[in-house]
Amino acid sequence: MSVDGPRTSVFTFQSAVHSHHVLCSLEELRQKELLCDVTVEVERRSFRAHSSVLASCSHYFYTRLTNHSRPNLTVSLPDEVTVEGFEPLLQFAYTAKLHFTKENILEIHRCAEFLGFQNLDKACFEFLIPKFSDGGGTSKKVKGKSKNQASNKKSQAINSPSDQNPETGEDRVPQDAGTVMQAASATSSVESPKDCPPIPNDKEMQLDLSPLYARSSSYHMGDGQEQFCLQNCGPQLPSSSMVASEVCPFLSTSSTSDNEKLHSAVATCGADILAMEEQFQKELAMEVRCEPPTDKDLSIASITDGHFDQLEGSLMPPTDCSQLCPLNSVESNGVLDGISGAPDLSSIGTDDNQVFDSNKQTFSELTPKDGFTERSVVEREVAEHLAKGFWPDLSSTLNEPLPLDSIDQSSTGNGSDFHWLKHLDLGAAPDDCPFLRDLSSNDRQTSMGNTLSNEDTGDSPCMSPINSRENSECESDGDCAQCGSNEQVQEVDLPFPVEQISTMTRRAFLQMLKREKLTPEQLEFVQDVRRRSKNRVAAQRCRKRKLDCIYWLEGDIKKLRSEKEKLLQDRNQLKLSLEDVRQNISGLWQSLSTDISPQSEQLQALTRYFSSDCPTSILLTPMASPSLAGPDRDAHANTSLNTILPDTCPEGDTAALRSPAAFLQDNVQSTVTDPAP
DNA sequence: GCCTGTTGTCATGCT
DNA sequence: CCAGCATGACAACAG
């Protein structure tokens, strides 16, 4: 990708840490009670907060706070809201992390519903509450279990015997117990985050919707509370190099032996986001955001192996990681197996890795002995759900290239904080990644040798899914189309790897065709493969766009519905007040009729007014000023009435708009009290 | 066996 | 004219 083309290139810089930083700062401000402009009273307890934060998280607060411009407003919440339920929600508003226990989940749910807290219901309560109320029964997810078993089989098939305990068949606990990765591998058969450590009974869980690299250290929990959270299963799960490999195909091209290059790549990326749109190549867009955990937590420049692995781990989506990688699950497992024993992982979760607070019991400290085996299946399921619930669309779309039109959408911050993960273009060629293209193909090959030695596959993560899929599936299905394609590959006997065809740029492709002097059959085959590959990617993009479109439209519908509801409420309210005013006026009208003569100007004016087609809002010219008194005021009122109640309603440009009812009430009252002479 | 969702492919139109 | 891309339609496949 060249950035100095003849045409003007448009670059987008989007900081993925900014929003998190803002949230952290707000939380800090709240802790110090700085700039707090609202006090929320719940059960005689007061919570200082920022109205903007509350209003942005809760419909209830939005409604209550946006109608008041008064500083230092005090909002007393009704009895429905309890401290037990409100406090975690307030915390959530500022940290995107929801702490809950089996005991208070219902209360939180009730308060969240009452307050209209967003981004919580579907993802959390609908699943958690039934699970918890079931009393921790066994999992009924037979399907999922069998699926896991199936993939376990796959995993075992490629696991080297040394990875397993020959007696129990279980994965052997790594030597260096205590490291995150090893803990994970010991528990999960290094398969997927689904098998992340389950939730301990009666321990507080933390639902983390914060952006990547949340500053765990900045968040303190009470003693005895275990910070089990999505950090364990989700984006912050410390993992291995495999994780980044899955997220970014180009990272995957380097193994631990290429850490230096990886580090430089990440350091380059780590400056923040990378969203680039190159127009002169027909808008080849790419967005790669590799963000560090904020300056306090981690200096990019000082990334060590452990840190880097942590970074990579943080990129890990919570769903089945096998789906994220162009490699099939078997390959993924193989990759992980190969990496789990890497020596440079030992620093994770220890010493200076500030992402894990040593004061808290974190994932890194959980050994199979002290926690994993004691947790119920339900809690495991809950943990899985927490992981899945917030990235429902991640796994299915992650391997799709970035649609250009979704860049802006992602930057709007809607939905998951990990939307940007979807924008990693796993189908792009390494040369298209300005930050990673330095990783040479040689490095790729040698490094893949390390990680993929078990499979003995030449698949590049950059290769077309078609190839990866065919390799994984055609073993059992000999007559599939891809096998036919394979046969054709052998028939035409290409002088270069077939996966290159679809990944290389057009220029490189043409040069290669020129260089290799292919036969017509080879040429036809190569072009056919390239066309199909491109079309496949295009179809994926197209479908992704469709889904995005549906997603955004659904959001619009939701928004419009709520607007409509609000408008209807307003209308009803206006109707009621109008009715009140009408009643008042009718009373006034009666007294007016008796007090003033039918020939009086005011009465005539009012008669004209009620009989005219005056719009509901009329233009109010300067009316009887309260500062005036006596005859002056009466004269002024008369003038005003005559001015504003002509045969047709006048249009002006400066006066304030008021409802006719209010206007009439004010002015008629003044007229009645001080009848004009 | 049917249904549904996913994915690859082809055809077609547009740029 | 060609290549690339978007998209509808269809088929195969898996769950």
Side-chain angles (χ1 to χ4, degrees):
Chain A
M1 180 189 294
S2 169
V3 293
D4 53 359
R7 290 167 57 182
T8 308
S9 298
V10 177
F11 300 91
T12 306
F13 178 87
Q14 183 185 345
S15 171
V17 289
H18 175 71
S19 55
H20 178 61
H21 174 74
V22 170
L23 205 58
C24 285
S25 301
L26 283 169
E27 167 67 355
E28 254 180 62
L29 290 172
R30 184 177 74 95
Q31 300 284 1
K32 297 174 184 171
E33 297 202 358
L34 292 175
L35 299 176
C36 294
D37 56 351
V38 63
T39 303
V40 183
E41 286 182 348
V42 187
E43 292 182 323
R44 283 179 289 176
R45 261 192 72 181
S46 295
F47 298 89
R48 294 287 286 162
H50 303 93
S51 56
S52 49
V53 174
L54 295 178
S56 59
C57 294
S58 151
H59 285 304
Y60 177 87
F61 284 115
Y62 179 87
T63 314
R64 286 201 62 175
L65 296 173
T66 51
N67 292 331
H68 298 274
S69 56
R70 197 149 41 96
N72 290 321
L73 183 71
T74 298
V75 176
S76 298
L77 296 183
D79 294 339
E80 285 94 331
V81 182
T82 60
V83 172
E84 188 187 14
F86 176 73
E87 204 167 7
L89 289 174
L90 183 64
Q91 200 94 61
F92 172 76
Y94 279 88
T95 61
K97 294 173 187 172
L98 181 70
H99 300 279
F100 59 93
T101 64
K102 216 167 166 178
E103 284 71 34
N104 70 2
I105 182 72
L106 277 171
E107 198 56 42
I108 295 174
H109 182 215
R110 228 165 41 79
C111 295
E113 273 194 338
F114 182 85
L115 298 174
F117 255 76
Q118 298 165 17
N119 305 327
L120 272 179
D121 253 34
K122 273 195 176 178
C124 173
F125 301 117
E126 285 176 11
F127 177 86
L128 293 175
I129 291 175
K131 281 294 163 195
F132 280 147
S133 58
D134 278 351
T138 54
S139 170
K140 293 174 185 175
K141 276 188 165 181
V142 180
K143 267 191 174 180
K145 199 177 175 184
S146 63
K147 190 180 176 184
N148 281 346
Q149 286 171 345
S151 43
N152 271 335
K153 279 183 186 174
K154 275 186 176 180
S155 175
Q156 287 166 6
I158 60 165
N159 276 350
S160 64
S162 62
D163 289 331
Q164 292 191 344
N165 185 330
E167 291 177 14
T168 63
E170 292 172 1
D171 290 317
R172 181 184 297 167
V173 178
Q175 300 284 330
D176 298 328
T179 68
V180 174
M181 186 54 226
Q182 287 156 339
S185 63
T187 324
S188 64
S189 304
V190 286
E191 188 189 31
S192 80
K194 283 179 180 176
D195 290 323
C196 59
I199 304 162
N201 270 328
D202 302 324
K203 295 283 178 82
E204 178 164 326
M205 291 184 285
Q206 180 182 1
L207 197 58
D208 190 352
L209 297 181
S210 63
L212 299 181
Y213 309 111
R215 291 194 299 180
S216 305
S217 58
S218 69
Y219 199 87
H220 300 289
M221 301 175 65
D223 289 342
Q225 293 175 337
E226 184 168 348
Q227 190 186 8
F228 180 91
C229 65
L230 288 185
Q231 289 171 347
N232 291 354
C233 318
Q236 296 173 352
L237 174 65
S239 185
S240 70
S241 305
M242 168 275 241
V243 172
S245 307
E246 292 183 346
V247 173
C248 178
F250 314 123
L251 287 177
S252 71
T253 60
S254 289
S255 72
T256 51
S257 65
D258 293 307
N259 272 344
E260 283 186 15
K261 284 186 177 180
L262 282 169
H263 294 164
S264 66
V266 166
T268 313
C269 297
D272 254 335
I273 159 233
L274 349 167
M276 303 190 71
E277 179 176 342
E278 188 176 359
Q279 291 185 331
F280 72 93
Q281 272 198 347
K282 286 230 170 182
E283 302 179 331
L284 173 63
M286 172 136 202
E287 184 175 13
V288 180
R289 290 178 226 167
C290 307
E291 46 173 324
T294 79
D295 47 353
K296 286 184 185 173
D297 288 338
L298 185 61
S299 161
I300 302 167
S302 66
I303 291 175
T304 65
D305 287 349
H307 281 129
F308 179 61
D309 286 326
Q310 171 59 30
L311 276 172
E312 293 173 336
S314 297
L315 290 166
M316 188 176 194
T319 47
D320 187 356
C321 46
S322 66
Q323 296 180 39
L324 305 179
C325 186
L327 302 170
N328 60 36
S329 58
V330 175
E331 292 164 340
S332 301
N333 289 326
V335 172
L336 189 49
D337 287 343
I339 291 171
S340 60
D344 60 345
L345 294 168
S346 56
S347 62
I348 297 178
T350 61
D351 297 328
D352 53 347
N353 190 342
Q354 296 181 23
V355 177
F356 293 89
D357 191 337
S358 58
N359 295 325
K360 293 173 284 187
Q361 185 184 7
T362 61
F363 183 43
S364 63
E365 297 167 30
L366 299 175
T367 65
K369 190 182 176 184
D370 66 8
F372 297 163
T373 55
E374 296 170 0
R375 291 162 188 166
S376 73
V377 178
V378 166
E379 285 161 341
R380 288 177 65 102
E381 206 176 332
V382 167
E384 287 172 18
H385 174 79
L386 293 184
K388 286 181 198 167
F390 295 94
W391 297 269
D393 54 349
L394 194 59
S395 61
S396 63
T397 54
L398 230 160
N399 58 349
E400 293 174 6
L402 166 68
L404 296 175
D405 54 358
S406 68
I407 292 177
D408 289 336
Q409 292 171 350
S410 72
S411 64
T412 60
N414 272 336
S416 161
D417 283 321
F418 303 93
H419 265 229
W420 63 272
L421 277 173
K422 293 188 281 188
H423 296 155
L424 291 172
D425 188 348
L426 304 193
D431 287 346
D432 293 336
C433 175
F435 304 99
L436 300 173
R437 60 184 162 205
D438 289 342
L439 304 178
S440 69
S441 56
N442 286 340
D443 293 332
R444 210 177 311 157
Q445 286 162 5
T446 55
S447 63
M448 292 301 280
N450 281 341
T451 56
L452 294 178
S453 57
N454 287 343
E455 293 87 60
D456 191 23
T457 170
D459 290 351
S460 158
C462 306
M463 71 191 214
S464 159
I466 189 180
N467 299 318
S468 61
R469 196 178 159 208
E470 72 195 34
N471 283 353
S472 62
E473 291 179 358
C474 290
E475 289 169 10
S476 57
D477 187 7
D479 57 351
C480 68
Q482 295 308 324
C483 281
S485 178
N486 271 345
E487 288 167 9
Q488 214 175 340
V489 171
Q490 290 175 351
E491 274 180 23
V492 295
D493 190 24
L494 291 175
F496 45 82
V498 69
E499 54 264 24
Q500 271 188 21
I501 298 170
S502 51
T503 56
M504 57 177 30
T505 62
R506 171 157 173 72
R507 187 184 295 180
F509 179 65
L510 291 176
Q511 279 177 353
M512 190 181 69
L513 292 184
K514 222 175 183 180
R515 194 173 55 240
E516 301 293 347
K517 294 203 171 81
L518 303 174
T519 65
E521 290 81 24
Q522 286 174 326
L523 200 62
E524 191 184 352
F525 173 75
V526 163
Q527 285 173 340
D528 196 40
V529 166
R530 185 173 171 85
R531 178 184 51 77
R532 286 206 310 257
S533 170
K534 295 281 181 192
N535 187 239
R536 183 170 49 244
V537 174
Q540 287 170 352
R541 269 200 305 269
C542 183
R543 285 159 182 153
K544 170 82 166 49
R545 255 196 304 279
K546 260 188 194 168
L547 290 177
D548 281 347
C549 195
I550 291 169
Y551 174 80
W552 293 110
L553 286 174
E554 278 174 351
D556 286 348
I557 289 171
K558 217 174 174 183
K559 218 186 287 178
L560 289 171
R561 278 202 180 129
S562 67
E563 270 177 35
K564 181 187 165 189
E565 239 167 67
K566 206 182 160 195
L567 287 171
L568 284 175
Q569 280 179 356
D570 287 350
R571 194 180 74 167
N572 289 337
Q573 217 165 350
L574 286 172
K575 265 185 183 172
L576 287 176
S577 53
L578 190 64
E579 198 54 41
D580 281 348
V581 171
R582 275 193 180 144
Q583 285 177 2
N584 289 340
I585 288 181
S586 64
L588 290 168
W589 183 259
Q590 285 175 357
S591 54
L592 196 66
S593 324
T594 56
D595 289 348
I596 61 178
S597 71
Q599 285 78 28
S600 79
E601 282 186 15
Q602 288 89 355
L603 196 58
Q604 286 174 4
L606 287 172
T607 308
R608 276 206 305 279
Y609 175 79
F610 284 113
S611 61
S612 72
D613 293 330
C614 193
T616 53
S617 290
I618 61 173
L619 212 55
L620 186 65
T621 53
M623 292 301 302
S625 167
S627 60
L628 299 175
D632 285 343
R633 181 179 168 181
D634 294 338
H636 188 82
N638 279 334
T639 314
S640 297
L641 269 176
N642 287 331
T643 310
I644 65 166
L645 296 176
D647 290 335
T648 58
C649 287
E651 284 190 0
D653 55 357
T654 55
L657 286 171
R658 294 179 55 187
S659 86
F663 157 74
L664 283 171
Q665 191 173 16
D666 290 346
N667 293 283
V668 169
Q669 268 177 341
S670 73
T671 310
V672 171
T673 337
D674 297 306

